[in-house]
């Protein structure tokens, strides 16, 4: 397979996007555990929503 700089840049871009979304997912899961995700609906009641 012919590997050009553009192919390497494309693979790097995809890996960076996947890493970013995995990092956001881990952050959300940890944040829910830290703040009790079950009480999110009660928290929104005081904000008019």
């Amino acid at each position: 397979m012919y590997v050009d700089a553009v192919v390497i840049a494309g693979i790097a871009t995809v890996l960076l996007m996947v890493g970013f979304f995995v990092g956001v997912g881990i952050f959300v899961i940890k944040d829910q555990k830290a703040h009790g995700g079950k009480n999110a609906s009660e928290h929104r009641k005081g904000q008019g929503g």
Side-chain angles (χ1 to χ4, degrees):
M1 179 178 152
Y2 179 71
V3 180
D4 195 10
V6 176
V7 175
I8 295 172
I11 292 172
T13 302
V14 170
L15 290 176
L16 284 171
M17 287 190 296
V18 169
F20 174 77
F21 287 118
V22 168
V24 169
I26 291 172
F27 172 78
V28 168
I29 290 171
K30 286 185 177 181
D31 191 55
Q32 283 182 345
K33 287 181 181 178
H35 295 98
K38 295 180 181 178
N39 297 329
S41 60
E42 294 178 6
H43 179 68
R44 279 189 235 130
K45 286 181 183 176
Q47 298 177 354

